[in-house]
Amino acid sequence: MGISRIVAKQYRDKVNQAYHQLGALSLPPEGWLRTLRHALGMSGPQLAKRLGVTKARVSKAEKDELTGSVTLKTMQSMAEAMNCRFVYAVIPSEEIEDLIKRRALQKAREQVKSASTHMALEAQTLSDEQLSFEIERLATEIVEKMPSNLWSDE
């Protein structure tokens, strides 16, 4: 196994770890900032004083979190003011290998469909079983080689 494959595996392992640890985690209806503040029994004015800002600024940050317009810096400073740690992550919807396999199957289907069209014009069509086998074979090859155009849409 080459260095690039080892590095790619380490990246996949890291993302899969996050998926398994946090995949079911979802944003509370009131957002993390307000939920945490309420869990601590801390008022908006108390948090504002800790941050050195106005109560309106705390309220705005909590609303901005729900609309997706809060900054990472604001999340971090508010978390720290509540003696917490701010962590963010991008979590895949499933394990990385499954995402890659699905994409490889899609690319393989496109390639086999294109080749199959040309073959049909020459009266050399493949059976459905042969097409399925070829798609699986090609998808496995794509996953093994991880071509640079895997995520290109052409």
Side-chain angles (χ1 to χ4, degrees), residues 76-100:
Q76 183 172 357
S77 64
M78 291 186 75
E80 288 172 359
M82 292 185 278
N83 296 318
C84 294
R85 193 168 57 107
F86 172 64
V87 178
Y88 75 92
V90 179
I91 308 298
S93 56
E94 58 191 321
E95 286 195 350
I96 289 297
E97 292 80 6
D98 295 333
L99 288 173
I100 292 169

Side-chain angles (χ1 to χ4, degrees), residues 24-74:
L25 191 61
S26 61
L27 180 69
E30 293 184 319
W32 284 109
L33 295 173
R34 183 171 287 153
T35 298
L36 179 58
R37 186 170 57 75
H38 285 171
L40 291 169
M42 186 182 292
S43 70
Q46 288 170 328
L47 179 56
K49 186 173 182 179
R50 287 172 155 246
L51 286 163
V53 299
T54 65
K55 177 186 177 293
R57 178 67 192 106
V58 169
S59 180
K60 181 176 180 348
E62 290 176 350
K63 288 176 184 160
D64 286 350
E65 179 188 2
L66 293 174
T67 63
S69 59
V70 69
T71 66
L72 297 178
K73 183 177 180 180
T74 296

